[in-house]
């Protein structure tokens, strides 16, 4: 069995701002509440390899892994995968951005499988990813929409 999740949210902001903020890896610790740090390991063409480190969990354990991410602005997608898979046999993520009434729909599709010796199974991880994705997406939406409001205010002020 394998895990599969799809989660989306509409962000009331221009595409350029949504794209820039969600693809600015160095600022992910300020965009996501779960990440303590991001360390860029390499950049080759459009692909970035980086280490994500989370804040300690409820047991004090700090989770960290290496991923690679390749954005394609023209197609409005980003393909990502874990390089250091940890408890996952594999983890592939597709980010999609689409203009819809009310803003930009950001969709995350995650396909994965847990290793046989992982502490949780695919079903548990699917529920966990769905729950966490909704939380993080709402936070990201709120932070981007706040930035959009601040940009509008600054534009109005500078045009006076």
């Amino acid at each position: 069995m394998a895990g599969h999740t799809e989660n989306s949210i509409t962000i009331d902001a221009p595409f350029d701002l949504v794209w820039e903020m969600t693809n600015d890896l160095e600022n992910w610790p300020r965009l996501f509440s779960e990440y303590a740090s991001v360390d860029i390991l390499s950049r080759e063409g459009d692909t970035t390899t980086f280490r994500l480190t989370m804040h300690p969990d409820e047991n004090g354990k700090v989770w960290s892994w290496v991923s690679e991410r390749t954005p394609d602005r023209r197609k409005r997608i980003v393909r990502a995968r874990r390089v250091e898979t940890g408890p996952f046999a594999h983890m592939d993520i597709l980010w999609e951005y689409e203009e819809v009434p009310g803003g930009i729909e950001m969709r995350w599709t995650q396909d994965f499988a847990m290793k046989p010796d992982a502490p949780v199974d695919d079903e548990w991880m699917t529920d966990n990813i769905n729950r966490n994705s909704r939380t993080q997406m709402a936070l990201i939406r709120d932070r981007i929409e706040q930035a959009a409001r601040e940009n509008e205010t600054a534009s109005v002020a500078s045009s006076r």
Side-chain angles (χ1 to χ4, degrees):
M1 182 171 160
H4 174 85
T5 66
E6 286 187 35
N7 291 279
S8 65
I9 196 163
T10 299
I11 303 170
D12 184 12
F15 169 75
D16 288 340
L17 183 63
V18 175
W19 180 266
E20 293 305 321
M21 288 184 71
T22 59
N23 287 289
D24 182 359
L25 296 176
E26 290 87 347
N27 283 305
W28 273 14
R30 288 181 285 286
L31 189 62
F32 291 81
S33 64
E34 62 189 343
Y35 300 140
S37 66
V38 176
D39 299 303
I40 304 300
L41 303 176
S42 69
R43 285 194 163 99
E44 292 185 34
D46 293 331
T47 300
T48 302
T49 303
F50 58 100
R51 175 171 295 284
L52 274 174
T53 303
M54 298 182 78
H55 294 289
D57 67 16
E58 62 277 355
N59 299 317
K61 178 158 177 53
V62 174
W63 296 92
S64 179
W65 63 91
V66 173
S67 289
E68 68 178 23
R69 183 174 172 82
T70 306
D72 185 333
R73 187 181 179 114
R74 187 181 58 76
K75 291 183 180 177
R76 297 185 174 201
I77 63 169
V78 178
R79 294 192 185 282
R81 70 178 185 92
R82 283 192 183 204
V83 176
E84 285 180 6
T85 58
F88 292 92
H90 68 89
M91 165 62 87
D92 299 301
I93 307 170
L94 176 65
W95 293 49
E96 298 172 283
Y97 302 81
E98 181 182 350
E99 289 188 44
V100 296
I104 303 300
E105 180 185 63
M106 179 177 69
R107 175 178 306 279
W108 297 344
T109 303
Q110 293 172 270
D111 289 298
F112 61 92
M114 304 308 295
K115 291 179 179 172
D117 61 346
V120 298
D121 63 13
D122 293 337
E123 184 178 350
W124 185 94
M125 188 56 72
T126 298
D127 290 342
N128 185 62
I129 288 172
N130 279 327
R131 186 173 43 258
N132 191 56
S133 291
R134 286 188 289 273
T135 299
Q136 294 303 313
M137 287 179 136
L139 184 61
I140 290 166
R141 177 201 59 213
D142 294 348
R143 289 179 174 165
I144 294 173
E145 288 179 354
Q146 176 66 32
R149 286 191 298 275
E150 290 169 3
N151 287 350
E152 282 181 19
T153 302
S155 293
V156 169
S158 69
S159 67
R160 290 184 179 163

